[in-house]
Amino acid sequence: DLAAWLLPQGQSADLFVIGIQELVELGPMSLLLNGDGHEERQLELEAKIEATLAASGRDFLKVCSFGMVGLSLLSYVSAHLSQNIGEIDCDRVKTGIEGLGGNKGGVCVRFLCGAMSMCFVNVHLPSGTGKEEDRKEHLHEILSYAFQGISRNGSSRQPKNGFHRASVYRGLEHDLLVVLGDTNSRLVLELPEGETLPKGPPEAWLLCDELINSRGPRSARSMGFREAEVTFPPTYKYIPGGGLSSQRTPAWCDRVLFRHEPSASSRAAVSDNEDENAEPTVMVVDYDSYPLKFTSDHRPVACTLRVGMPQLSQAD
């Protein structure tokens, strides 16, 4: 039952972006066979999501649905606002195995919603304690080469599977950029040998969270990303069907970050429709994790954003 995750407290939204990081078990065979994602499981996921959205009593249209190895990205827009969506483009960027493997990397969709450009990036960054710099590097690479016609080594990235790769769009040049998924952020602390749980309550552990404390070049903070206050329990590592594993140090691996940098065109569209001093706004309505206990050793998170934007057209 995905309703607790997608429709918390029974509340729906106008736009849904859903990211999965391990739709298939990650291993050598998955890398070989599922470079474009797992078609059967993608269709099963689509069916479950669409059934959940239909239960909200509203009609939705699919914007995108595609994957890369275990990563999957799906987006749906409320039918009455669908005519405002345009210039859709998607891409995927492999960062595993020196850029050859899609076990790590990102899948992305971008589009215009009215006059506002939006980009959503579902990531699976390197795992492990002490890998903060690797995670920064992978995120920077994903944002730098998504939608581009060249790769990090200068080779050509040809259009395929509907990905234009025309070097027209860049992730960091969108009015709203959202990064979601398994950032693999860890707690930076030293524990006595044989111990895995930090002292004190979970809210005290957050003081050691890598992502919250990260500074310097290529950190999420230096790129202008923000995050709502984390008030939910660690999202990793759980015993499926139970509580936190005593064999691993807990962490808030699964996160949603956003960056709002309105362009001159989107600001102008707002002033044409509203007060001349108004600007597009982004506010966090809710940010929480949800105990879908039997699906993974992670707990999924969801962030609801309220985006103030120019007057949108609505279908009858």
Side-chain angles (χ1 to χ4, degrees):
D1 181 11
L2 300 180
W5 179 37
L6 299 181
L7 304 171
Q9 291 84 50
Q11 298 298 309
S12 187
D14 294 312
L15 176 68
F16 285 87
V17 179
I18 301 115
I20 306 291
Q21 292 77 52
E22 295 186 13
L23 191 59
V24 297
E25 185 175 349
L26 301 181
M29 290 304 294
S30 295
L31 287 174
L32 289 173
L33 300 177
N34 302 311
D36 293 337
H38 192 289
E39 183 176 0
E40 181 179 351
R41 292 196 179 181
Q42 185 77 15
L43 290 174
E44 290 175 357
L45 178 61
E46 275 187 35
K48 290 181 179 179
I49 290 173
E50 289 170 9
T52 301
L53 296 184
S56 71
R58 301 174 62 186
D59 293 329
F60 287 88
L61 298 179
K62 183 168 62 181
V63 177
C64 73
S65 174
F66 68 103
M68 176 180 74
V69 188
L71 282 160
S72 173
L73 183 65
L74 306 95
S75 180
Y76 294 85
V77 64
S78 179
H80 76 285
L81 293 178
S82 60
Q83 64 193 47
N84 297 281
I85 303 297
E87 298 187 17
I88 302 169
D89 198 5
C90 300
D91 201 5
R92 51 180 172 239
V93 179
K94 300 176 181 179
T95 60
I97 318 175
E98 299 298 320
L100 300 176
N103 59 318
K104 295 293 185 285
V107 286
C108 325
V109 62
R110 63 86 51 200
F111 47 79
L112 286 182
C113 184
M116 178 179 280
S117 60
M118 298 183 176
C119 181
F120 299 88
V121 185
N122 176 24
V123 301
H124 197 176
L125 302 182
S127 61
T129 303
K131 298 290 185 66
E132 179 181 0
E133 293 305 315
D134 289 345
R135 289 187 269 274
K136 288 181 182 178
E137 185 63 33
H138 281 230
L139 178 58
H140 184 267
E141 183 175 339
I142 293 164
L143 297 178
S144 296
Y145 293 102
F147 313 112
Q148 303 307 296
I150 59 169
S151 68
R152 65 176 184 175
N153 60 14
S155 61
S156 175
R157 301 180 72 235
Q158 294 296 317
K160 61 182 295 188
N161 300 325
F163 307 153
H164 297 139
R165 294 175 175 171
S167 299
V168 173
Y169 311 116
R170 289 187 177 274
L172 290 169
E173 293 177 356
H174 288 79
D175 297 327
L176 176 64
L177 171 61
V178 180
V179 171
L180 58 136
D182 187 356
T183 67
N184 261 313
S185 180
R186 300 304 168 103
L187 298 182
V188 182
L189 76 174
E190 293 185 8
L191 294 172
E193 186 174 352
E195 294 189 15
T196 59
L197 290 178
K199 301 296 184 184
E203 53 266 29
W205 307 349
L206 270 170
L207 297 175
C208 302
D209 178 73
E210 170 190 303
L211 200 54
I212 289 176
N213 292 304
S214 183
R215 300 290 188 277
R218 298 193 173 178
S219 66
R221 185 183 297 269
S222 73
M223 289 189 284
F225 283 101
R226 294 186 285 148
E227 182 182 22
E229 182 182 3
V230 176
T231 59
F232 47 84
T235 65
Y236 176 84
K237 174 180 173 107
Y238 284 85
I239 300 169
L244 283 167
S245 169
S246 61
Q247 304 301 310
R248 293 287 186 91
T249 300
W252 283 264
C253 292
D254 308 275
R255 311 286 274 271
V256 180
L257 312 175
F258 64 96
R259 179 181 187 268
H260 180 224
E261 296 286 346
S263 64
S265 59
S266 65
R267 288 196 299 269
V270 170
S271 61
D272 285 345
N273 287 278
E274 302 177 12
D275 183 83
E276 63 179 5
N277 296 316
E279 285 198 357
T281 59
V282 175
M283 296 177 57
V284 177
V285 176
D286 189 48
Y287 188 36
D288 208 345
S289 66
Y290 298 88
L292 303 184
K293 295 182 179 179
F294 301 101
T295 59
S296 171
D297 55 3
H298 290 249
R299 292 282 174 88
V301 301
C303 183
T304 303
L305 300 175
R306 178 177 288 118
V307 181
M309 52 198 313
Q311 184 72 34
L312 297 177
S313 300
Q314 298 193 28
D316 293 334

